[in-house]
Amino acid sequence: MNINIVPLQFDLNSTEPLYAQLFHYLKDLIIKGDLAFGDKLPAIRSFAKALEVNNITVINAYKQLEHTGYVTSKQGSGYYVSKRLTEEASVFTPKPLYQQELINFSSASPDPGIFPTETFKEYIVEVMDRDKGYAFGYQEVNGFMKLREVLAQFLKQTYDIETKAELIQMVSGAQQGLDIIAKSLLYSGDSVITENPTYNGAVDVFKSRGCRIVPVSLTPQGLDLIEFEKKVKICKPKLVYIMPNFQNPTTICYNKATLLALLKLAHTYDFYLLEEDSMWELTYGTRGSLSLKSLDAEDRVIYLKSFSKLLMPGLRIGFIIMPEALVEAFTRTKQTTDISSSGLMQRALELYFKNNKWEEHIHYMKRIYKDRYECMLSKLLELENDEVELYKPQGGVCFWLRLPKGMSAQHLYEKCHKKGLLIFPSPIFFPHLDPSKDRYIRLSFAACGITDIQKGTDILTECIRTYH
Amino acid sequence: MNINIVPLQFDLNSTEPLYAQLFHYLKDLIIKGDLAFGDKLPAIRSFAKALEVNNITVINAYKQLEHTGYVTSKQGSGYYVSKRLTEEASVFTPKPLYQQELINFSSASPDPGIFPTETFKEYIVEVMDRDKGYAFGYQEVNGFMKLREVLAQFLKQTYDIETKAELIQMVSGAQQGLDIIAKSLLYSGDSVITENPTYNGAVDVFKSRGCRIVPVSLTPQGLDLIEFEKKVKICKPKLVYIMPNFQNPTTICYNKATLLALLKLAHTYDFYLLEEDSMWELTYGTRGSLSLKSLDAEDRVIYLKSFSKLLMPGLRIGFIIMPEALVEAFTRTKQTTDISSSGLMQRALELYFKNNKWEEHIHYMKRIYKDRYECMLSKLLELENDEVELYKPQGGVCFWLRLPKGMSAQHLYEKCHKKGLLIFPSPIFFPHLDPSKDRYIRLSFAACGITDIQKGTDILTECIRTYH
């Protein structure tokens, strides 16, 4: 394989080292398709000679390509372009360090192998060079203004959400967002309505404020509106917490009628709706996602978005769209909580959005996840013969399964664990202890490549079939 | 001025760009004293020619030296080595962006011009290269283990505090530390004793938990023990919050007798002591600082340390030493608060400590701050003739002044503001509203160079003398 190196002009005065320049040049060739799956990269020595650089420069560039998944090395043979988007699992999916031997269907966070680390590294360095000490000073309490401006624009274009920079509060991840919302709004004795089942980390936050948790059942269209209104009348909630797209853990999506009904009830009974969104973008079918906030004419929706699931959890960045009436309370709480979120990360994220990297990355994630989704779905469908019930979400990174009657999710978890598979049993997702709810499991493909999905679902099937 | 460039060998295959290599080479010459104050750097063109690099490389290196304060440029003349440690103010103290024209005695945070940004940039890049995606994944809830190990060792060596990595909880700055401690320990109706005056950001956190705040007066040796015991008996506090070294805002330091008495009372009346420390290291006189935690034989002290004041606030990193009995509660609360602090920053900080940069930096900060301290002290002593009372702290970054009878701190603040000086009036530091407390001001030199300290104290003197 000969690479046309004529257009490659090293810039000796660049702040970018030579190996990085070479890495970017080759990466672009792979993305454009000039280097195709299976192509062998030139041998190190002759390539270095042709480029008039040291061998180490070429080695470093190749290693960088390998780490970011563009090529794979075969011992004694050289480097080959990866079939990145479909066979990425075997190439560049390192498992979480703390459990190298387990297949992890439990974590809904992407594995570090598919993080856009190279791009962020560039922007982080760019920010440090540009802003010097200011990148490490206190940030405005509400967040870096330029980022908030970019996000407001982006929300309009992408989500059809009308807002403005002044209403955006940056937070250090969605978990902190929940904490700040709770501390701003909720006091001892207040009631909060949640979905049943729901995200346990949110329940913990509400409980920590001394609140009463009132769970309401889910239908395939969203909250059960009849049960909901009955409970609203009794408990007079201050806040209703929902995840309208790919709900965690059930993966259901609300329909528009349910969302509109909730907004109407919020007006009638005077409560705030908290919409948490971490998966809006991840649709694989024809269904478009719908945000509650985009329908919110009366400013009753607090919108909370995390970048942890779609980008990287380590950024510790998310944001809230605040109803105008709550801006002052939220700002004061953020100040008391941790003064401000990381200025460096906010500034890097601003560059990321400004340079349209977000959409590129989402496109990339969707291609990866869609393959995994289809692989896991086809394997799980085989379990329907075993009386396992399955909802087909057409998006997100999880499946929610109801086990056959008489089977305990907790016990199945232990069986799977012994065989090297981590699954998420259901009890923790139900705010009120209820033995009849120990019958569901959540399976995620976020941290697993195709091979592991196949192996893991085989283990699961075996454990279910040999359960008794 | 001729620079010996023989030892300077550019490494073309390094990940470090040429200008950065040149920057480090020159920086070392300045630190070693081979380039002395006032020395002119070689002209750009001839130096670039001698080094066989592009002009831009030299320009970038010079600019980097300028940004980090090692040299200063004189228009039309060239670059000169700065008298960095004594006249740094005029050279590299940019004011906070939002108030370019005001002299700021109000902020106790260092100005971004003296942050160790270059060193951190190196370590951040090193971590990103080394750990790739893992630098951006979720971190352990308690924090990056290697950092906690380094800190445990460092606490033993430097502070005489015996602890272990397992008892260290990393937090996103001291403010978050306060929030986590409060959420782990305090519930609606609990009492918390604070110093009077105290840090208002802590009071806000305790109040947010529905606690009753019971302030106790300060003597020059620490809490007034007679008033303290009386109030302990009545209010039965769960927590007592103190800052034994360079207390904020009064700058007083506790003596050993008071610390020991507090520990004894904690045993008798069964409460926890929360020691917040952000200034321990910053002593300019002969007095050694003493940490309450180092005397804590019964594990009753929660120790909270921030790196914001001595390093950079934007790291958003601090830590708690947890009493063993509280580890579980603190861990659960941290998880609910924001899951984990930035893995990237924790990893960079680990390199910073491992490479002994902390002590080097403290040494540097002490030299800068000592000059500022002495400058401000000598100016403020002149005010003693105007019936202003002043405590001489021999450390820290603040002074606490009692104004003459009949003078309002709030009103003086407004007068100074109009003349271009920000000071911190006292009322906000007193948990209970008390008009008689509107008579103190806090002045900090953390964000001001020598010139501004002189100008600012002149404005203050004028405003005090023309008050009536």
Side-chain angles (χ1 to χ4, degrees):
Chain A
M1 165 79 213
N2 281 315
I3 292 181
N4 176 13
I5 57 167
V6 177
L8 174 58
Q9 290 288 340
F10 286 115
D11 178 0
L12 291 179
N13 292 301
S14 164
T15 58
E16 192 176 52
L18 299 187
Y19 87 92
Q21 295 180 37
L22 181 57
F23 160 72
H24 285 296
Y25 180 72
L26 294 170
K27 188 181 109 175
D28 288 344
L29 290 182
I30 294 170
I31 287 173
K32 281 189 294 180
D34 294 351
L35 282 169
F37 165 52
D39 278 349
K40 191 181 171 185
L41 296 187
I44 289 160
R45 277 191 211 179
S46 55
F47 198 33
K49 209 172 159 193
L51 294 170
E52 298 180 333
V53 296
N54 197 308
N55 289 351
I56 296 287
T57 303
V58 176
I59 291 171
N60 280 340
Y62 282 11
K63 279 196 178 151
Q64 194 68 23
L65 287 167
E66 188 183 19
H67 282 306
T68 46
Y70 290 96
V71 307
T72 173
S73 67
K74 293 183 187 167
Q75 232 183 347
S77 161
Y79 289 82
Y80 295 81
V81 175
S82 312
K83 194 171 171 188
R84 188 159 199 249
L85 297 175
T86 50
E87 289 192 352
E88 89 292 338
S90 54
V91 181
F92 70 107
T93 305
K95 289 187 202 68
L97 284 172
Y98 55 89
Q99 46 196 34
Q100 291 284 6
E101 282 92 38
L102 291 173
I103 293 174
N104 189 349
F105 286 179
S106 164
S107 167
S109 297
D111 65 76
I114 55 176
F115 291 167
T117 41
E118 265 306 305
T119 314
F120 262 93
K121 186 183 149 191
E122 268 173 45
Y123 292 145
I124 285 170
V125 170
E126 185 173 335
V127 168
M128 291 192 293
D129 284 339
R130 183 191 68 190
D131 299 345
K132 308 262 164 355
Y134 292 101
F136 292 104
Y138 282 120
Q139 202 56 61
E140 259 185 89
V141 174
N142 295 120
F144 182 53
M145 188 38 108
K146 279 190 182 170
L147 172 60
R148 292 156 68 206
E149 283 165 0
V150 165
L151 288 175
Q153 221 179 346
F154 165 77
L155 283 162
K156 169 72 189 144
Q157 283 161 6
T158 313
Y159 300 77
D160 204 23
I161 293 175
E162 287 277 5
T163 188
K164 46 189 181 180
E166 289 71 22
L167 296 178
I168 293 178
Q169 169 68 57
M170 301 307 302
V171 292
S172 307
Q175 187 68 38
Q176 184 183 71
L178 292 167
D179 186 46
I180 285 174
I181 291 163
K183 286 190 291 191
S184 303
L185 269 187
L186 304 173
Y187 296 90
S188 195
D190 286 342
S191 290
V192 178
I193 287 185
T194 70
E195 297 157 323
N196 196 33
T198 186
Y199 168 51
N200 59 302
V203 170
D204 289 345
V205 169
F206 303 142
K207 281 188 180 163
S208 153
R209 293 296 294 170
C211 293
R212 189 158 69 110
I213 309 297
V214 182
V216 169
S217 313
L218 285 166
T219 74
Q221 289 76 44
L223 276 180
D224 178 329
L225 289 170
I226 294 166
E227 182 186 335
F228 178 70
E229 188 165 4
K230 209 186 289 175
K231 288 189 171 168
V232 165
K233 281 182 186 166
I234 298 168
C235 79
K236 297 187 175 54
K238 251 198 188 159
L239 188 71
V240 173
Y241 167 62
I242 63 171
M243 293 165 272
N245 287 295
F246 311 114
Q247 198 264 354
N248 180 17
T250 65
T251 75
I252 71 140
C253 291
Y254 283 51
N255 66 6
K256 191 169 178 179
T258 307
L259 295 178
L260 289 172
L262 286 173
L263 288 168
K264 206 170 159 195
L265 290 167
H267 171 82
T268 309
Y269 296 101
D270 191 22
F271 54 79
Y272 280 105
L273 284 156
L274 166 51
E275 172 181 30
E276 185 177 351
D277 168 28
S278 61
M279 294 284 165
W280 191 92
E281 290 82 351
L282 279 189
T283 50
Y284 314 130
T286 49
R287 179 191 176 285
S289 291
L290 190 62
S291 156
L292 177 65
K293 185 68 189 172
S294 69
L295 305 170
D296 176 29
E298 288 193 20
D299 214 14
R300 290 201 168 265
V301 176
I302 304 162
Y303 176 87
L304 171 61
K305 184 163 183 73
S306 158
F307 295 116
S308 298
K309 299 282 183 286
L310 291 178
L311 221 45
M312 318 195 277
L315 291 179
R316 308 311 304 125
I317 298 289
F319 66 90
I320 300 171
I321 306 177
M322 305 178 274
E324 291 226 37
L326 297 178
V327 169
E328 206 189 310
F330 280 27
T331 307
R332 210 168 44 228
T333 306
K334 172 66 181 173
Q335 166 98 32
T336 317
T337 297
D338 69 349
I339 304 182
S340 63
S341 294
S342 164
L344 179 59
M345 293 304 178
Q346 290 186 61
R347 285 158 196 251
L349 191 60
E350 193 251 336
L351 292 179
Y352 194 80
F353 273 94
K354 210 175 70 180
N355 292 309
N356 300 312
K357 293 292 175 188
W358 171 258
E359 276 150 56
E360 206 177 281
H361 178 68
I362 293 300
H363 186 68
Y364 168 65
M365 294 294 270
K366 277 173 82 162
R367 286 185 64 186
I368 289 187
Y369 279 157
K370 194 182 177 199
D371 287 346
R372 295 183 183 185
Y373 170 85
E374 283 167 0
C375 173
M376 193 179 255
L377 178 63
S378 72
K379 297 284 288 183
L380 293 178
L381 284 174
E382 294 169 16
L383 279 169
E384 291 192 326
N385 298 328
D386 300 272
E387 288 171 58
V388 170
E389 278 181 40
L390 169 67
Y391 180 82
K392 298 167 200 74
Q394 296 186 50
V397 295
C398 293
F399 289 95
W400 179 246
L401 276 63
R402 192 169 78 154
L403 301 173
K405 214 172 169 179
M407 203 176 278
S408 151
Q410 191 59 42
H411 186 60
L412 183 65
Y413 161 81
E414 284 154 21
K415 280 178 77 84
C416 288
H417 195 180
K418 278 184 200 145
K419 300 265 181 191
L421 172 68
L422 280 178
I423 62 173
F424 217 132
S426 51
I428 201 170
F429 293 114
F430 292 92
H432 295 171
L433 268 180
D434 179 350
S436 78
K437 302 300 187 189
D438 178 24
R439 211 185 138 180
Y440 301 83
I441 56 173
R442 194 193 72 181
L443 307 178
S444 174
F445 48 84
C448 295
I450 299 292
T451 317
D452 277 355
I453 290 171
Q454 287 166 337
K455 275 192 213 158
T457 43
D458 285 345
I459 294 172
L460 178 70
T461 304
E462 189 200 335
C463 288
I464 287 175
R465 289 185 182 159
T466 62
Y467 182 89
H468 291 292
Chain B
M1 163 83 216
N2 281 316
I3 292 179
N4 176 11
I5 58 168
V6 176
L8 173 59
Q9 290 289 339
F10 285 114
D11 178 0
L12 291 178
N13 292 302
S14 165
T15 58
E16 191 175 52
L18 298 187
Y19 87 92
Q21 295 181 37
L22 181 56
F23 160 72
H24 285 296
Y25 179 72
L26 294 171
K27 188 180 109 174
D28 288 345
L29 290 182
I30 293 170
I31 287 172
K32 281 188 294 180
D34 294 354
L35 283 169
F37 166 52
D39 279 350
K40 191 182 171 184
L41 296 187
I44 289 160
R45 278 192 210 178
S46 54
F47 197 34
K49 210 173 159 189
L51 293 170
E52 298 179 333
V53 297
N54 198 307
N55 290 350
I56 296 287
T57 304
V58 176
I59 290 171
N60 280 340
Y62 282 11
K63 280 198 177 151
Q64 193 69 23
L65 287 167
E66 188 184 19
H67 282 307
T68 47
Y70 290 95
V71 308
T72 173
S73 68
K74 292 183 188 166
Q75 234 184 347
S77 161
Y79 290 81
Y80 295 81
V81 176
S82 313
K83 195 173 170 186
R84 188 159 197 249
L85 296 175
T86 51
E87 292 192 349
E88 88 292 341
S90 54
V91 181
F92 70 107
T93 305
K95 288 186 202 69
L97 283 173
Y98 54 90
Q99 46 196 32
Q100 290 284 5
E101 283 91 38
L102 292 174
I103 294 174
N104 189 350
F105 285 179
S106 163
S107 166
S109 296
D111 65 76
I114 56 177
F115 291 167
T117 40
E118 266 304 307
T119 314
F120 261 93
K121 187 186 149 190
E122 268 173 44
Y123 292 144
I124 285 170
V125 171
E126 184 173 336
V127 168
M128 291 191 293
D129 284 339
R130 182 192 69 190
D131 300 346
K132 308 264 165 355
Y134 292 101
F136 291 104
Y138 282 119
Q139 202 56 60
E140 259 184 272
V141 175
N142 294 121
F144 183 53
M145 187 39 107
K146 279 190 182 171
L147 172 60
R148 293 155 69 205
E149 283 165 359
V150 165
L151 287 175
Q153 219 177 350
F154 165 77
L155 283 162
K156 170 73 190 143
Q157 282 160 7
T158 312
Y159 300 76
D160 205 22
I161 292 174
E162 287 277 5
T163 188
K164 45 190 181 181
E166 289 71 20
L167 296 178
I168 293 178
Q169 169 67 57
M170 301 308 302
V171 292
S172 307
Q175 187 69 40
Q176 184 183 72
L178 291 167
D179 187 45
I180 286 174
I181 291 162
K183 286 190 291 192
S184 304
L185 269 187
L186 303 173
Y187 295 90
S188 195
D190 285 343
S191 290
V192 177
I193 286 185
T194 70
E195 296 158 323
N196 196 33
T198 187
Y199 168 52
N200 59 302
V203 170
D204 289 345
V205 169
F206 302 142
K207 279 188 180 163
S208 153
R209 294 296 295 170
C211 293
R212 189 158 68 109
I213 310 296
V214 182
V216 169
S217 312
L218 285 165
T219 74
Q221 289 77 44
L223 276 180
D224 178 327
L225 290 170
I226 293 166
E227 182 185 335
F228 178 70
E229 189 165 3
K230 209 185 289 176
K231 288 188 169 168
V232 165
K233 281 181 187 166
I234 297 167
C235 79
K236 297 188 176 50
K238 251 199 188 158
L239 188 70
V240 173
Y241 167 61
I242 63 172
M243 292 165 271
N245 287 294
F246 311 113
Q247 199 264 355
N248 180 17
T250 65
T251 75
I252 71 141
C253 291
Y254 283 51
N255 66 6
K256 192 169 177 179
T258 307
L259 295 178
L260 290 172
L262 286 172
L263 288 168
K264 207 169 158 196
L265 289 166
H267 171 82
T268 309
Y269 296 101
D270 191 23
F271 54 79
Y272 280 105
L273 284 156
L274 166 51
E275 172 182 30
E276 185 177 350
D277 168 27
S278 61
M279 294 284 166
W280 192 92
E281 290 82 352
L282 278 190
T283 51
Y284 314 131
T286 49
R287 179 190 177 285
S289 290
L290 191 63
S291 155
L292 178 66
K293 186 68 189 171
S294 68
L295 305 169
D296 177 29
E298 289 193 19
D299 214 13
R300 289 202 168 265
V301 176
I302 304 162
Y303 176 87
L304 171 61
K305 185 163 183 72
S306 158
F307 294 115
S308 298
K309 299 282 184 287
L310 291 178
L311 221 43
M312 317 194 278
L315 291 178
R316 308 311 302 125
I317 298 288
F319 66 89
I320 300 170
I321 307 177
M322 306 178 274
E324 292 225 38
L326 298 178
V327 169
E328 206 189 311
F330 280 27
T331 307
R332 210 169 43 227
T333 305
K334 171 67 180 171
Q335 166 99 30
T336 317
T337 297
D338 69 349
I339 303 183
S340 63
S341 295
S342 163
L344 179 59
M345 293 302 178
Q346 290 187 62
R347 285 157 197 251
L349 192 59
E350 192 250 337
L351 291 180
Y352 194 80
F353 272 94
K354 210 175 71 182
N355 293 310
N356 300 311
K357 293 290 175 190
W358 171 258
E359 277 151 54
E360 206 176 282
H361 178 67
I362 293 300
H363 186 68
Y364 168 65
M365 294 292 270
K366 277 172 82 161
R367 286 185 64 187
I368 290 188
Y369 279 157
K370 193 182 178 202
D371 287 346
R372 296 182 181 185
Y373 171 84
E374 282 167 0
C375 172
M376 193 179 255
L377 179 62
S378 72
K379 299 282 288 183
L380 293 178
L381 284 175
E382 294 169 17
L383 278 170
E384 291 192 326
N385 299 328
D386 301 273
E387 290 170 56
V388 170
E389 278 180 41
L390 170 66
Y391 180 81
K392 299 168 199 73
Q394 296 185 51
V397 295
C398 293
F399 289 94
W400 180 246
L401 276 64
R402 192 169 78 155
L403 301 173
K405 214 173 169 179
M407 205 175 276
S408 151
Q410 191 58 42
H411 186 60
L412 183 65
Y413 162 80
E414 284 154 21
K415 279 177 78 84
C416 288
H417 195 179
K418 278 184 199 146
K419 301 266 182 191
L421 173 69
L422 280 178
I423 62 173
F424 216 133
S426 50
I428 201 172
F429 293 115
F430 291 92
H432 295 172
L433 267 180
D434 179 350
S436 77
K437 301 301 189 191
D438 178 22
R439 211 184 138 181
Y440 301 83
I441 55 173
R442 193 192 74 180
L443 307 178
S444 174
F445 48 84
C448 295
I450 299 293
T451 316
D452 277 355
I453 290 172
Q454 287 166 337
K455 274 193 213 158
T457 44
D458 285 344
I459 293 172
L460 178 70
T461 304
E462 189 200 334
C463 289
I464 286 176
R465 289 185 182 159
T466 62
Y467 183 88
H468 290 293

